[in-house]
Amino acid sequence: MATPLAERLRPKTLDDYIGQSHLVGPDGVIRKMLENKRISSFILWGPPGVGKTTLANIVAQTLGVRFFTLSAINSGVKDVREVIESAEKSRFFNSEPPILFIDEIHRFSKSQQDSLLAAVEKGTVTLIGATTENPSFEVIRPLLSRCQIYILESLHKKELQQLLDNAIKKDIVLSKRKIKIKETDALFGYSGGDARKLLNIIDLIVSTVPEKQPVVFTNEIVSKELQQNPQAYDKNGEMHYDIISAFIKSIRGSDPDAALYWLARMIYAGEDPKFIARRLVISAAEDIGLANPNALLLANAAFEAVEKIGLPEGRIPLAEATVYLASSPKSNSAYKGIGNALSIVESTGNQPVPLHLRNAPTQLMKDIGYSVDYKYPHDFSGNFVEQQYLPKGLAGLRLWEAQENPSEAKLKEYLGKKWKDRKF
């Protein structure tokens, strides 16, 4: 079987590496570490096909150190310990530690991650992890504290074009073919910023044309070939990003039938059920919000159920939460409210806390006015009394606005009765 184009074009040096200029460009932190021949443990977080594994290989080759690799899918604690033991035996006194690359580190269990701590702490190995999931959700805190997190981004159109040009001009196979690029919208659109996906699409299109005939790329040709053979170029990436997007947007659009369809697509394709459950929790907070606060409770319950029972039974609480969220009234008022608040904080800096809102655990604090004139709401009728809670320079600021749904109408009515001079 011929070596895939993505593997043939895998970069060997930073100068050949396309994308992630914030990390490997002239001022990039990883380039600077390599120039200084010193590198610390880090985790690469980003979508599939953006060069996480390639970057780890380049780091090891540039430093000239041993490179151990484990996949979280098929490696256990025993495998981790064997690699660490081998690393200890192979290291000389002043030599740089070998690199241990763990692909899909988010799939490592707590015990597997615990087994790494001592080796990373002592410098027995330099850990490079790769993950498509937010490390703060899946990587234990002690390990996170020992690693820097570097975020990799999907490739931009300019970078995809550079990758396409390199493939046609430099690849040992494609450079011998007559290739004409008439249109790139479909090619780049289907790739979704994924370098591996782009190269796999190119490979697929070229393979459908006899060797002596020219290969022409148009939007129509690319779309037709991918519709006829959609899994030939992408086994997981489309499901993981495009379908989860369709899933969330179907919930947001109050279409339970479409949401269930996309849920089924993800389950059928083998998506991690906890990934789906996390997105349901986010959707409940972001899109349903105060219009139906029970949605967040149900989404959290579904997440806990999936953690306990897994698949296939976990599909039932996932479906229950999906239908409930899609059928609920929608509001993003809390989402917009915190966005407004963060913008104000960013623009106004650290405004002082009003003295009457500060605690006064010592006599000195009381003497200088801490907590003086604070009115305890429960001492007043209706457990409410008007007073200033915002910093002095932000008095009267409005950040949250009720939206049109029964739940928030009640909140608006309640607040309107209390704060007679404010509009909600």
Side-chain angles (χ1 to χ4, degrees), residues 3 6 8 52 82 89 91 113 156 273 292 305 368 380 389:
T3 304
R8 298 199 304 268
K52 297 185 291 292
E82 287 177 354
K89 291 178 179 178
R91 189 181 176 193
Q113 294 183 40
H156 304 298
N292 182 5
I368 61 178
F380 295 84
Y389 290 100

Side-chain angles (χ1 to χ4, degrees), residues 264-283:
R265 283 280 297 272
M266 288 187 285
I267 293 172
Y268 185 78
E271 178 61 87
D272 180 358
K274 289 196 294 182
F275 171 75
I276 303 172
R278 274 197 300 274
R279 296 308 298 261
L280 285 170
V281 172
I282 295 168
S283 176

Side-chain angles (χ1 to χ4, degrees), residues 170-308:
K170 298 181 180 180
D171 179 63
I172 191 171
V173 176
L174 298 192
S175 60
K176 298 176 182 177
R177 299 292 301 267
K178 293 181 178 179
I179 298 177
K180 188 171 185 178
I181 309 294
K182 288 187 175 182
E183 297 171 313
T184 58
D185 289 346
L187 187 60
F188 293 164
Y190 278 110
S191 70
D194 182 326
R196 182 171 55 245
K197 190 188 293 188
L198 174 67
L199 295 175
N200 286 347
I201 296 173
I202 296 170
D203 226 357
L204 171 65
I205 302 298
V206 172
S207 69
T208 63
V209 181
E211 285 189 21
K212 294 184 179 180
Q213 293 184 16
V215 182
V216 179
F217 283 81
T218 66
N219 295 335
E220 182 181 358
I221 289 173
V222 171
S223 298
K224 180 181 177 182
E225 290 298 334
L226 295 184
Q227 288 167 10
Q228 290 177 350
N229 195 0
Q231 295 305 318
Y233 73 95
D234 176 31
K235 197 171 184 180
N236 297 308
E238 182 216 4
M239 177 278 298
H240 192 74
Y241 289 97
D242 296 344
I243 293 186
I244 193 66
S245 176
F247 176 62
I248 294 302
K249 287 174 181 174
S250 298
I251 292 175
R252 185 180 297 143
S254 299
D255 189 337
D257 297 314
L260 280 174
Y261 169 78
W262 296 119
L263 174 64
R265 283 280 297 272
M266 288 187 285
I267 293 172
Y268 185 78
E271 178 61 87
D272 180 358
K274 289 196 294 182
F275 171 75
I276 303 172
R278 274 197 300 274
R279 296 308 298 261
L280 285 170
V281 172
I282 295 168
S283 176
E286 179 180 344
D287 294 317
I288 288 86
L290 294 171
N292 182 5
N294 286 331
L296 185 56
L297 299 177
L298 186 65
N300 268 304
F303 184 90
E304 291 177 6
V306 166
E307 276 195 311
K308 291 175 182 176

Side-chain angles (χ1 to χ4, degrees), residues 66-70 82-83 86-87 90 98-102 125:
R66 290 194 67 185
F67 185 74
F68 297 95
T69 181
L70 292 173
E82 287 177 354
V83 168
S86 179
S90 65
I99 288 173
L100 171 56
F101 175 68
I102 300 181
V125 296

Side-chain angles (χ1 to χ4, degrees), residues 391-403:
K392 186 176 180 180
L394 300 177
L397 180 69
R398 289 293 317 285
L399 297 174
W400 178 74
E401 293 187 15
Q403 295 184 358

Side-chain angles (χ1 to χ4, degrees), residues 11-44:
K12 300 294 191 297
T13 68
L14 284 188
D15 292 333
D16 294 329
Y17 189 90
I18 296 175
Q20 319 311 328
S21 59
H22 61 294
L23 297 177
V24 303
D27 296 320
V29 61
I30 293 180
R31 181 177 287 274
K32 287 183 176 180
M33 284 194 293
L34 290 179
E35 288 173 349
N36 294 327
K37 301 293 183 182
R38 300 283 296 181
I39 197 156
S40 55
S41 294
F42 59 82
I43 294 175
L44 300 171

